[in-house]
Amino acid sequence: MKDIEIKISKETRQVDLSKYVIGNDAENLQGNLVFTFTDEFVIGQARLEYETSDTKAYLPLIQEEETYKMPIKSVITKQGQIYMQLVITEGIDEEEIPIFKSNVFYVVVNESINAEIEQPDEYQTWIEVANTKLNQIDNLNIEVEKVDNVSTLTITKKDGTTNSVEILDGEKGEKGDCNFATFDIEDGNLIMNKTEDMLLDFRLNENAELEVII
């Protein structure tokens, strides 16, 4: 956002703004208010008095050559219409203190959403999703049954459906060797026992399905 120039006449106290909208609610450091004079520069200690719907306060201004300047901070970017007045304390005589005041003018701050942190009900939803995932893991089950030379591997998937595969014992080779694999469950893990000459391997994929690796 560009700086907003506020021109003031020392003689008439009239105020002219380059722009009335100074930002959105709760914005911070997106520009500056820059006060200049159209006739004679007023030297002194300057402050900006402002009034919102529930606050009356002031902020000090910084002099830079013949301007007074203030960053637009979130303390004044409150939604709605804000009334302002430039006030300058002149001179050094403590008994007779000249005080300059411009006419009252106003600026506008647009609304913002200003979202807060996630609400508790959203956090509860996250917990429920996590618990559902844990339930799916609890539903994973592996059973192995062997009848004669056929081993049947039954897997219960996360969604509750089952998948079965039959594994046949290998036939004897010319030298009397045999290739076969058996499966056992140890501490919830699937253990495969196979002969050294077996050229196949097995694994469970991410869908809890048994795959043959050649």
Side-chain angles (χ1 to χ4, degrees), residues 11 37 67 79 109 111 124 129 148 156 186 197:
E11 182 178 355
F37 288 84
T67 67
Q79 179 184 348
V109 177
E111 65 178 340
Q124 295 280 353
V129 172
D148 297 328
T156 302
E186 295 182 6
D197 296 333

Side-chain angles (χ1 to χ4, degrees), residues 2 34 43 49 55 125 136 190:
K2 295 182 179 180
V34 181
I43 301 175
E49 297 187 357
T55 302
T125 300
Q136 292 176 0
L190 178 65

Side-chain angles (χ1 to χ4, degrees), residues 146-160:
K146 184 172 183 181
V147 179
D148 297 328
N149 66 335
V150 179
S151 298
T152 303
L153 179 68
T154 303
I155 301 172
T156 302
K157 299 181 183 180
K158 296 177 181 180
D159 60 3

Side-chain angles (χ1 to χ4, degrees), residues 96-170:
E96 299 289 337
I97 303 176
I99 298 176
F100 171 86
K101 290 191 176 187
S102 71
N103 290 343
V104 175
F105 61 97
Y106 71 89
V107 296
V108 175
V109 177
N110 293 328
E111 65 178 340
S112 294
I113 294 177
N114 297 332
E116 301 293 336
I117 60 174
E118 284 188 321
Q119 298 301 310
D121 56 342
E122 295 296 328
Y123 177 76
Q124 295 280 353
T125 300
W126 180 87
I127 289 295
E128 295 303 328
V129 172
N131 287 338
T132 301
K133 297 299 182 182
L134 293 175
N135 289 339
Q136 292 176 0
I137 295 175
D138 292 338
N139 288 336
L140 182 61
N141 186 44
I142 301 173
E143 295 181 356
V144 178
E145 180 182 7
K146 184 172 183 181
V147 179
D148 297 328
N149 66 335
V150 179
S151 298
T152 303
L153 179 68
T154 303
I155 301 172
T156 302
K157 299 181 183 180
K158 296 177 181 180
D159 60 3
T161 61
T162 60
N163 186 29
S164 298
V165 61
E166 292 184 348
I167 305 171
L168 302 179
D169 290 349

